[in-house]
Amino acid sequence: MEGFAAKHVHDYQTGRISRRRLIEILTLAATAQAGSAAAAEQSGLDVALVNHVSYTCPDFRKAADWYSKVFNLDQVGATDHDVALPFGKKGEKPYGVTANDVPLTHIICRARPLDGGPPAGSTPPRRTPKAVIDHIAFTVADFDRERAKAQFAAVGVNNVRDGGPFSVYVDDPFGYELQIAGLGVTAICGAEARSTCGDTR
């Protein structure tokens, strides 16, 4: 950088470039170098989207049938211990995505020992978790709270609870809480905006 700056200062001193051009060049170079340094120092991975949720329960078929019925999800790739339920159809793009190679987010309903024991053939053994996922929220692009309540009632889901104007909560057959939200419920809107939704959790 020093040689680069010295060359351009020399060009200014000899009249080859104006002071304005010197400032532009040095500012651009400093900005680019700072950006490169920040990129080089960055650690961790840039997560793009949620690929899948692995849902372990006592009866994966019962769970899969419920999720299929309530959320219009197809069941694909069933085995004797699990099945996947993609959010969309094969060949479709996830909501708001323009790239052709983005995988559909999906739920995998599976049967596995709930005591932290390892699935057959896996190494090393799974650790017993010390934390839980409190709930999962699904986004519905054209969400309307009253319409969602009516649609849930139509498929036999009776434990619908308000989550403010932009979401509702239901429990699946095994008591796991799900939030169904519109596009307005985002992490980017911030805690203050989320607090106006009436969700006091």
Side-chain angles (χ1 to χ4, degrees), residues 10 43 65 70 83 107 113 115 145 178 182 193:
H10 181 306
S43 63
D65 289 345
V70 173
V83 64
I107 301 170
D115 61 2
R145 185 177 59 182
L178 304 171

Side-chain angles (χ1 to χ4, degrees), residues 124-140:
R126 291 177 177 260
R127 295 181 299 172
T128 301
K130 294 187 168 94
V132 297
I133 305 294
D134 176 67
H135 71 279
I136 296 174
F138 299 130
T139 299
V140 174

Side-chain angles (χ1 to χ4, degrees), residues 59-69 75 83 85 109:
D59 184 342
F60 81 93
R61 287 183 178 92
K62 180 178 179 180
D65 289 345
W66 187 88
Y67 280 87
S68 290
K69 179 176 80 170
Q75 297 183 33
V83 64
L85 294 91
C109 293

Side-chain angles (χ1 to χ4, degrees), residues 35-106:
S36 297
E41 292 174 15
Q42 180 180 4
S43 63
L45 302 173
D46 292 331
V47 175
L49 52 89
V50 173
N51 181 279
H52 70 273
V53 173
S54 177
Y55 180 74
T56 302
C57 58
D59 184 342
F60 81 93
R61 287 183 178 92
K62 180 178 179 180
D65 289 345
W66 187 88
Y67 280 87
S68 290
K69 179 176 80 170
V70 173
F71 297 113
N72 298 316
L73 302 175
D74 291 336
Q75 297 183 33
V76 299
T79 70
D80 64 346
H81 62 277
D82 66 12
V83 64
L85 294 91
F87 293 11
K89 309 293 181 206
K90 185 174 182 177
E92 287 183 348
K93 296 176 185 177
Y95 182 81
V97 173
T98 57
N100 291 323
D101 59 349
V102 177
L104 293 173
T105 300
H106 55 285

